[in-house]
Amino acid sequence: MKDFKYYAPTHVVFGKNTENQVGELVKKHNGKKVLLHYGGQSAIKSGLLDRVENSLKQSGIEYVKLGGVVPNPRVSLVRKGIEICKNENIDFLLAVGGGSVIDSCKAISSGRFFEGDVWELYLKKAKATKYLPIGCILTIPAAGSEMSDGSVITNEDGGFKKDYCVDEFRCKFAIMNPELTYTLPAWQTACGATDIMMHTMERYFSKDDDMEITDSIAEAVLRTVKEQVQIVLKNPTDYNSRAQIMWSGSLAHNDLTGCGTSGDWATHNLEHELSGMFDVSHGAGLAAVWGSWARYTRSENMARFARFAVNVMGVKQDFKSLEQTAEAGIVAMENFYHSIGMPTSIHELIGREITEKEILEMADKCSNYGQQTIGCLKVLSREDMAAIYRLAK
Amino acid sequence: MKDFKYYAPTHVVFGKNTENQVGELVKKHNGKKVLLHYGGQSAIKSGLLDRVENSLKQSGIEYVKLGGVVPNPRVSLVRKGIEICKNENIDFLLAVGGGSVIDSCKAISSGRFFEGDVWELYLKKAKATKYLPIGCILTIPAAGSEMSDGSVITNEDGGFKKDYCVDEFRCKFAIMNPELTYTLPAWQTACGATDIMMHTMERYFSKDDDMEITDSIAEAVLRTVKEQVQIVLKNPTDYNSRAQIMWSGSLAHNDLTGCGTSGDWATHNLEHELSGMFDVSHGAGLAAVWGSWARYTRSENMARFARFAVNVMGVKQDFKSLEQTAEAGIVAMENFYHSIGMPTSIHELIGREITEKEILEMADKCSNYGQQTIGCLKVLSREDMAAIYRLAK
C-alpha cells in the first residue's frame, strides 16, 4: 500500500428537504454576503432557487445572483464572477447545481484574490494563496466536485479544458437531496453514472495490487452504481436508488477509492480533449473511449482487468485464460454502457466519423504538443493517445 | 436510505515514517504548547517517543509529557491532564498511542474549559462549549478514535464506563504508520481486529435494508479485516496487511459504514459493563457476547443475518431456510473468533463462571437501573440484557 494523505472535510447534509438548511449552514461557516451561482432555467423552474433564496433571507444572508453556467463551464463567466466578488465584497460562494456550477465556483474562489488572470492557475503557471470558501447544493450526481479538490474549466478561446486542484477547493458543506435529481433526463442520469464509475475506475486500474481495502470499496461503489442506475432509468423517482447514486458520486471522487493506489486518469485526459473540441457530455465522452483505452493498456495488469470482470461485471472466470476473462469484462462494460444509452465509440458520440486531422489535433493538445505524457497503468505518449483515439473511432 | 450527516475532517497522513511529520502538523494546526499524552513503556522503549519529541523540538513546539494511560482509560488521569493544561497554558493535545490514549485526550479536551467536573459531561449532565484541538499518532488500530467523534472513559469509583460524543472530538490530524503496529502482541492485534469489525457490524445489523452502497462498503471492510488479521497473526511484520487493518479501523468508525442506517450499539453497551466490572480487553469482551446478542435478536431481520453469512463469512446459502443460513453465519463468525484467539463466552473471557448476581448488576448498570433501553435492531430492556448475558455465560 502506497503512502497517502486523505482529507475530506466537507460537512455532508444528506436527505429530504435539506436545501432548506442552506441559510443556516452559510451562517455557520461565517458567510455574510453570498454569490449565488447556478446554471440555466431548471433551478428556477423547479422552485429550488426560490427555496434557497428564502432560506438565505431567513438567516439574514445577503446575496448576488449569477446564473448561466453551462456544461464544460467557461472561463469567461468565471472572470465575470470574480469581478462581482470584488465589487460586491462577496465572502462566500454558493453553488446550486452540478459539477459545472461547483467547478465554476471553485475557479471564482481561486481567482478572487489572485492578481493575474485566473486561467494562469489552470495552466499551472501560478498558484493562488487565498481562496473564498464554497458551499453547494448538489443537483446532478456525477462530477463528485462537492467533495473533491478539483475543478475543470474550459477556455472557449481555443477549446482548451484544464484542471486545477487544491484542498481549499473542498466545499465547506454539501447539501444533497436525492429528490432534486428526480427530474434529470435519462441521458444526464446515465452520463452521471458513467462519470461516477469512471472516477472509481481511474483509481482502480493501477499496477498496485496491495490495497485490498481500497479495491474492495471501489468494487462496492462500481457494483452499486451499475445496479442502481438501471433501476433509476426505469423509475426516475425511486428515492433509494437516486440516493445511492448520489452518495456514491461523492465517495467515488473524495479520494476514498484511491487511498494507497496510483490514479491513472488517462481516460479523463483523453476525454477532456473530446469535450473541448466537440462540446459533448463528459460522461458520454468517457464511455466512448474507455473500452479502447482498456484494450490498449490491459496487458500492463491483466489480472486486475480479470478481477474487475469477475468482481464488478459478474463475468464467469475463464480459468484457462486471464486475457479472455479480461476481454469479457470489457465487453460486459460496453454492453452496460449501451444498455444505459451511452456510446462506446467516437462516431456514436459525435454522430460522424472523426478525421485523422482531428485525432492528431487532440493528441497534440492532450500531450501539450508532445511535451507531456498521461496515464500511470501505462504511460501514454502523444502517439499512444492518437492510437487510442483511432481505436475508439 | 435514512437522512444522514457525514463529517470526517481529520487530515490523515498514512505511511512509513510519517511520525516524523508531527511537529510540522502541530504547527500547521496552530499548536504552540502541547500536552504529549501516552500510555506505558512501549512508546518509550520503541524509540517512538524520542522521535516525536525531536520532531516537536525541530518545529519549535514546547511540550509537557503525561504518560500512564491504561486500557479503559481512567477519569482520574483525565483530571490530572486537565490541571496540567490549565497550569501550563497548553493549546494542543497530542495523543501517542491507541484508542485509550486518544479517548483520554478527548476527555481532557472537553474538560479544559468546562467549569464543572469532567465526569458530568460523560454522564450527559452538561455539554462543554469549548474544546482543545487534538492530533494523534496511532499505534493500535482498533478503537477508530483517530477519526471518530466519540470517547469512552472509565470512572474507577464504581466501575462505570461512559461515552461522550461531539464533533469537536474529531482529531485535527491522524498520523498512521503501519510499521508502528509490528510489535503489537497477537492478543492485542486480534482484539483490535474484533473491535474494528464490531464497529462495522453495529451499523450493519439494522432493520434498514435500503442502503446498498453503505452495506457493500461495510461488507468490504469486514471481509478485508477478517482476511488480513489472519495473515498478520502468522507474519506480524507484513506491511500491507498491517496497513489494511489500520486504515480499515478508521473507516469502520468514521461513520462511513453507517451512512443512511441506524446503528444498533447494543453489543458495545453490553461489553462496556463487562470491561467496567472485570477490566477485560474491549475487543475480547465484544467477541464474548456478540454471538449471544445475534441469536437473541436475529429474528428482527433474519435476511440481514443471512446476507452477512453469505457475503462476509462465505457461507453457502441454505435456500430452504433463511434461519439456517443466518445460524451458519453466526457459527462461522464464532469459529473465526476462536481462530484468532478470541473468546465467544463470558467464562472464556474472565476465566470462571459469572454469577447471577454479577449478571443482574451489569444489567442494572447497563440499563441505568431500568431507566433506559439499548439497541435498535431489537430494543433491549434490562431483562433482555440479563438474558443475553445469561446466554453468553
Side-chain angles (χ1 to χ4, degrees):
Chain A
M1 193 181 246
K2 287 197 156 49
D3 293 357
F4 66 88
K5 292 190 181 188
Y6 180 74
Y7 181 50
T10 307
H11 278 262
V12 173
V13 181
F14 194 105
K16 291 178 184 170
N17 303 317
T18 45
E19 64 272 21
N20 297 325
Q21 298 175 37
V22 67
E24 189 189 308
L25 281 163
V26 170
K27 208 170 176 178
K28 195 175 159 186
H29 289 90
N30 306 313
K32 289 184 183 64
K33 190 165 182 185
V34 162
L35 180 75
L36 178 50
H37 203 30
Y38 57 98
Q41 292 298 308
S42 67
I44 300 166
K45 277 189 201 153
S46 68
L48 172 60
L49 216 62
D50 276 346
R51 296 203 295 286
V52 170
E53 293 183 57
N54 280 337
S55 176
L56 292 174
K57 281 176 198 158
Q58 275 173 22
S59 296
I61 312 275
E62 285 186 84
Y63 59 90
V64 178
K65 290 198 277 184
L66 178 63
V69 182
V70 293
N72 302 318
R74 308 297 200 262
V75 72
S76 53
L77 191 68
V78 168
R79 290 183 184 124
K80 195 170 167 186
I82 293 168
E83 277 314 298
I84 295 173
C85 288
K86 287 179 183 171
N87 297 335
E88 299 276 351
N89 283 320
I90 298 293
D91 61 8
F92 197 93
L93 302 172
L94 179 61
V96 178
S100 298
V101 179
I102 303 172
D103 281 8
S104 187
C105 262
K106 288 179 176 179
I108 295 169
S109 163
S110 65
R112 165 64 183 90
F113 301 103
F114 180 61
E115 290 192 359
D117 179 65
V118 65
W119 188 245
E120 288 176 40
L121 301 172
Y122 285 75
L123 291 174
K124 278 87 175 170
K125 288 186 180 168
K127 212 163 178 181
T129 51
K130 197 179 162 189
Y131 297 79
L132 274 178
I134 307 161
C136 74
I137 298 174
L138 186 66
T139 61
I140 308 174
S145 193
E146 65 278 10
M147 287 187 87
S148 82
D149 67 347
S151 156
V152 181
I153 295 293
T154 295
N155 191 332
E156 54 268 57
D157 183 10
F160 287 97
K161 196 168 172 180
K162 298 286 171 193
D163 67 344
Y164 179 46
C165 304
V166 284
D167 271 336
E168 288 85 350
F169 276 171
R170 297 189 190 271
C171 289
K172 299 295 173 195
F173 64 79
I175 290 173
M176 302 193 212
N177 175 359
E179 291 180 316
L180 299 179
T181 71
Y182 284 175
T183 52
L184 277 180
W187 168 256
Q188 231 175 327
T189 299
C191 282
T194 303
D195 197 17
I196 292 168
M197 292 179 78
M198 196 60 71
H199 287 152
T200 312
M201 289 152 72
E202 295 279 19
R203 293 167 167 104
Y204 180 84
F205 287 107
S206 90
K207 280 196 175 175
D208 316 311
D209 287 312
D210 52 12
M211 57 302 180
E212 184 56 38
I213 180 64
T214 298
D215 283 340
S216 55
I217 288 174
E219 289 165 357
V221 170
L222 290 170
R223 280 194 308 267
T224 302
V225 176
K226 177 173 160 280
E227 284 163 20
Q228 303 296 326
V229 69
Q230 290 170 317
I231 297 171
V232 156
L233 288 175
K234 283 184 196 123
N235 179 11
T237 60
D238 185 311
Y239 182 84
N240 281 321
S241 293
R242 288 283 189 192
Q244 287 173 65
I245 293 171
M246 196 168 216
W247 185 222
S248 297
S250 303
L251 297 181
H253 204 38
N254 77 357
D255 296 336
L256 177 69
T257 60
C259 291
T261 77
S262 357
D264 185 80
W265 300 104
T267 309
H268 263 75
N269 282 293
L270 292 167
E271 193 290 321
H272 282 180
E273 301 310 325
L274 273 174
S275 52
M277 185 176 280
F278 302 107
D279 205 19
V280 293
S281 291
H282 174 56
L286 293 169
V289 293
W290 180 77
S292 300
W293 169 84
R295 291 191 178 91
Y296 195 81
T297 61
R298 67 184 175 199
S299 60
E300 300 291 324
N301 193 349
M302 199 65 85
R304 185 153 283 268
F305 279 89
R307 178 182 169 151
F308 171 80
V310 174
N311 288 359
V312 177
M313 301 311 295
V315 161
K316 264 198 183 173
Q317 183 157 0
D318 180 339
F319 287 95
K320 287 188 183 163
S321 169
L322 213 54
E323 190 168 357
Q324 283 306 317
T325 311
E327 172 62 20
I330 297 169
V331 169
M333 190 70 192
E334 290 181 323
N335 290 340
F336 163 74
Y337 282 146
H338 278 154
S339 79
I340 61 169
M342 288 290 105
T344 62
S345 64
I346 298 176
H347 72 262
E348 283 175 274
L349 177 73
I350 65 172
R352 65 162 171 87
E353 290 291 312
I354 188 168
T355 66
E356 181 66 15
K357 187 168 165 259
E358 287 165 333
I359 285 176
L360 294 174
E361 188 184 335
M362 286 196 297
D364 275 345
K365 281 186 179 171
C366 193
S367 66
N368 197 15
Y369 300 90
Q371 286 177 52
Q372 69 197 24
T373 60
I374 59 169
C376 185
L377 175 65
K378 182 177 171 72
V379 177
L380 302 173
S381 66
R382 174 162 51 177
E383 289 64 40
D384 293 320
M385 300 172 203
I388 294 172
Y389 284 132
R390 264 178 229 118
L391 261 181
K393 232 164 125 163
Chain B
M1 194 182 247
K2 288 197 155 52
D3 294 355
F4 67 89
K5 292 190 181 187
Y6 180 74
Y7 181 50
T10 307
H11 278 263
V12 173
V13 181
F14 195 104
K16 292 176 183 171
N17 303 317
T18 45
E19 63 272 21
N20 298 325
Q21 298 176 37
V22 66
E24 188 190 310
L25 282 163
V26 169
K27 209 169 174 179
K28 195 175 159 185
H29 289 90
N30 305 316
K32 286 183 186 65
K33 191 165 181 185
V34 163
L35 181 74
L36 178 51
H37 203 30
Y38 56 98
Q41 291 299 306
S42 67
I44 299 167
K45 278 187 202 154
S46 68
L48 172 60
L49 216 61
D50 276 345
R51 294 202 296 284
V52 170
E53 291 183 58
N54 280 337
S55 176
L56 292 174
K57 280 176 200 158
Q58 275 173 23
S59 297
I61 313 275
E62 286 186 84
Y63 59 89
V64 177
K65 291 198 278 185
L66 178 62
V69 181
V70 293
N72 302 318
R74 309 297 201 261
V75 72
S76 52
L77 191 68
V78 167
R79 290 183 183 124
K80 197 171 164 186
I82 293 168
E83 277 316 298
I84 295 174
C85 288
K86 287 180 182 169
N87 297 334
E88 299 276 348
N89 284 318
I90 298 294
D91 61 9
F92 198 92
L93 302 172
L94 178 61
V96 178
S100 297
V101 178
I102 303 172
D103 281 11
S104 187
C105 262
K106 289 179 175 178
I108 294 170
S109 163
S110 65
R112 165 63 183 89
F113 301 103
F114 180 62
E115 290 192 358
D117 178 65
V118 64
W119 188 245
E120 287 175 44
L121 301 171
Y122 285 75
L123 290 174
K124 279 86 176 172
K125 287 186 180 169
K127 212 164 178 182
T129 51
K130 195 178 163 189
Y131 296 79
L132 274 178
I134 307 161
C136 74
I137 298 175
L138 186 66
T139 61
I140 308 172
S145 193
E146 65 277 8
M147 287 187 86
S148 82
D149 68 345
S151 157
V152 181
I153 296 292
T154 295
N155 191 333
E156 54 267 59
D157 182 13
F160 286 98
K161 197 169 172 178
K162 297 286 171 196
D163 67 343
Y164 178 46
C165 303
V166 284
D167 271 336
E168 288 84 350
F169 276 170
R170 296 190 192 269
C171 288
K172 298 295 173 194
F173 64 80
I175 289 173
M176 302 193 211
N177 175 0
E179 292 181 315
L180 298 178
T181 70
Y182 284 176
T183 53
L184 277 179
W187 167 258
Q188 231 175 327
T189 299
C191 282
T194 303
D195 197 16
I196 292 168
M197 293 179 76
M198 196 61 70
H199 287 152
T200 312
M201 289 152 72
E202 295 279 19
R203 295 168 166 103
Y204 180 84
F205 287 106
S206 90
K207 279 195 177 175
D208 315 311
D209 287 312
D210 51 12
M211 59 300 180
E212 184 56 37
I213 180 64
T214 299
D215 282 342
S216 55
I217 289 175
E219 289 166 357
V221 170
L222 290 170
R223 280 193 308 266
T224 302
V225 177
K226 176 173 162 282
E227 283 163 20
Q228 303 295 327
V229 68
Q230 290 171 317
I231 296 172
V232 156
L233 290 175
K234 282 183 197 125
N235 179 12
T237 60
D238 185 310
Y239 182 83
N240 281 322
S241 293
R242 287 284 189 192
Q244 287 173 67
I245 292 171
M246 197 169 215
W247 185 222
S248 296
S250 303
L251 297 180
H253 205 38
N254 77 356
D255 295 337
L256 177 69
T257 60
C259 292
T261 76
S262 356
D264 185 80
W265 300 102
T267 309
H268 263 76
N269 282 292
L270 293 167
E271 194 289 323
H272 281 180
E273 302 310 327
L274 273 174
S275 52
M277 184 177 280
F278 301 107
D279 204 19
V280 293
S281 292
H282 175 55
L286 293 168
V289 293
W290 180 76
S292 301
W293 168 84
R295 291 192 177 90
Y296 196 83
T297 61
R298 68 185 176 198
S299 60
E300 300 291 325
N301 193 348
M302 199 65 85
R304 185 152 283 266
F305 280 88
R307 177 181 171 153
F308 171 80
V310 174
N311 288 358
V312 177
M313 302 311 296
V315 161
K316 265 199 182 172
Q317 183 157 359
D318 180 339
F319 287 96
K320 286 188 180 162
S321 168
L322 213 55
E323 190 168 358
Q324 283 305 317
T325 310
E327 172 62 19
I330 297 170
V331 169
M333 190 70 191
E334 291 182 322
N335 289 342
F336 163 73
Y337 283 146
H338 278 153
S339 79
I340 60 168
M342 288 289 104
T344 61
S345 66
I346 298 175
H347 72 263
E348 283 174 274
L349 176 73
I350 65 171
R352 65 164 173 84
E353 290 290 311
I354 190 169
T355 65
E356 180 66 16
K357 188 170 166 259
E358 287 166 333
I359 285 175
L360 294 175
E361 189 183 333
M362 287 196 297
D364 275 346
K365 280 185 177 171
C366 193
S367 66
N368 197 15
Y369 300 91
Q371 285 177 54
Q372 69 197 25
T373 60
I374 61 169
C376 185
L377 174 67
K378 181 178 171 73
V379 177
L380 303 173
S381 66
R382 173 160 54 176
E383 289 63 39
D384 293 318
M385 299 173 205
I388 293 172
Y389 285 131
R390 263 179 229 117
L391 261 181
K393 232 165 126 164

